Amino acid sequence: QDPRSPAASQFERAAGRIAEVPFGLSTSPAVLSRYGVAANTLTLFRRVDNDRRDLDMNSEDVDAEKMARFIRMNELRLVTEYNPVTAIGVMQSSLQLHLLLITDKMSPRHPERMRRYRAAAELFKGKILFILVDSNLKSNEQTVSFFKLKKSQLPALAIFNTPDEKQDVLTLDEVSVERVQDFCNRFLQ
């Protein structure tokens, strides 16, 4: 309620640590009512799946570090990189279709692959959660093996429907918006 409170100060510190996420602070009863937010709550609005997560700030042990961790764990982007921190947000997503680009982030082709993958993600915003899986991370080895892929078969797309665990895999020479779009549309049909 008070923009000069210790909680508001911690909020500003958390905002300073995560420059790529837009932050706002409101004490307006009309704004809080419009979004159904209780006072002293950190609310994260996720545009990619039109969902939200709330953190009750009335607890005295909530500081900038805990707020930043809450945001990192629950934020979803147009393309979310899968790792132990973001896994919670991915698993809790209201989007039940997940498309994974499993690739080597160290590849010289990675920036162009990501540009095309993001462009394809725009086409399926709100329908499919687009995820990047770096095949170089030891923590992602289990994900790669879940789709019965070997490093020699990468890059690859893997689509997964969480309720029934249906899946499909497409190995690629190169990522293109058209190939991603066709692969997703075939699976959706």
Side-chain angles (χ1 to χ4, degrees):
Q1 294 291 8
D2 178 8
R4 293 175 304 278
S5 71
S9 172
Q10 291 296 315
F11 175 80
E12 289 174 7
R13 285 184 55 216
R17 292 181 184 178
I18 308 173
E20 64 276 10
V21 174
F23 283 77
L25 179 65
S26 179
T27 59
S28 164
V31 171
L32 298 177
S33 173
R34 160 103 167 71
Y35 292 103
V37 176
N40 296 324
T41 300
L42 174 62
T43 300
L44 177 66
F45 295 96
R46 302 188 323 185
R47 289 183 289 218
V48 74
D49 63 356
N50 294 321
D51 207 354
R52 68 185 257 186
R53 297 287 182 266
D54 293 320
L55 176 64
D56 182 358
M57 301 275 293
N58 288 316
S59 171
E60 290 184 22
D61 66 340
V62 176
D63 61 8
E65 189 65 38
K66 288 183 181 170
M67 285 184 233
R69 181 162 171 72
F70 170 80
I71 291 164
R72 287 291 185 216
M73 286 172 49
N74 290 287
E75 74 172 317
L76 292 179
R77 299 170 186 228
L78 197 55
V79 174
T80 300
E81 185 169 350
Y82 187 82
N83 58 47
V85 174
T86 61
I88 293 167
V90 167
M91 297 306 166
Q92 292 178 348
S93 172
S94 61
L95 296 177
Q96 297 180 332
L97 272 177
H98 297 178
L99 180 70
L100 289 73
L101 171 60
I102 305 169
T103 188
D104 174 1
K105 278 182 61 178
M106 301 309 287
S107 166
R109 294 179 171 175
H110 180 73
E112 184 59 23
R113 283 182 189 144
M114 284 306 298
R115 187 188 66 73
R116 293 176 182 162
Y117 192 57
R118 277 191 193 92
E122 286 280 353
L123 303 172
F124 293 95
K125 192 173 178 180
K127 296 178 190 159
I128 299 174
L129 181 60
F130 277 60
I131 301 167
L132 169 68
V133 178
D134 184 1
S135 59
N136 290 320
L137 289 181
K138 185 133 183 82
S139 60
N140 289 337
E141 287 176 0
Q142 190 174 3
T143 303
V144 174
S145 66
F146 176 80
F147 292 103
K148 297 172 180 60
L149 289 165
K150 297 179 180 95
K151 281 206 176 204
S152 62
Q153 296 174 293
L154 302 178
L157 292 173
I159 196 163
F160 183 76
N161 190 24
T162 55
D164 61 12
E165 296 190 4
K166 278 189 179 176
Q167 60 176 282
D168 195 7
V169 174
L170 174 68
T171 56
L172 310 157
D173 294 329
E174 206 44 63
V175 175
S176 74
V177 175
E178 296 78 18
R179 293 216 43 208
V180 173
Q181 188 175 13
D182 290 345
F183 182 64
C184 291
N185 284 333
R186 274 199 325 270
F187 191 82
L188 287 169
Q189 290 171 354

